[in-house]
Amino acid sequence: MNIREMQLSLFDPDPDTIVGGVSCSLGHRHRKPKRAKWRVHFKNGNCRDVCGWCVKQFQPGGDHADIVERIEKLTKKIISK
């Protein structure tokens, strides 16, 4: 097995709803990087991973609630060996 195959085998092929190392995509609003805990799906088909503080503006009553289709909580993946 060459080095590239080993590197690729370290990553999960489906990181859709997994927390861990994903930082808030609205990082320009924070002094330090924050971990994303929510995924916001927009009506135009795009999505963003945001922290708990930033998700407030996308929830009902927030500034950008009218452009949101749904909000889902990211989950931790437990790796058992």
Side-chain angles (χ1 to χ4, degrees):
M1 180 182 290
N2 66 21
I3 188 89
R4 183 66 180 153
E5 290 174 352
M6 287 185 349
Q7 288 173 338
L8 292 174
S9 68
L10 295 175
F11 297 103
D12 185 21
D14 187 23
D16 267 351
T17 57
I18 298 171
V19 174
V22 180
S23 60
C24 180
S25 62
L26 301 177
H28 63 280
R29 305 184 82 198
H30 310 295
R31 282 186 240 145
K32 296 192 288 186
K34 294 211 172 224
R35 179 168 293 169
K37 295 186 179 180
W38 298 90
R39 178 161 290 151
V40 179
H41 295 271
F42 299 103
K43 292 179 182 176
N44 67 359
N46 294 337
C47 65
R48 283 186 171 255
D49 295 336
V50 296
C51 66
W53 188 75
C54 291
V55 78
K56 292 178 185 177
Q57 64 184 343
F58 298 110
Q59 290 176 337
D63 295 337
H64 306 295
D66 55 337
I67 61 171
V68 174
E69 182 178 317
R70 73 179 193 270
I71 299 172
E72 67 182 25
K73 185 164 179 65
L74 297 176
T75 58
K76 285 190 176 182
K77 181 177 181 180
I78 300 171
I79 300 173
S80 58
K81 292 184 177 183

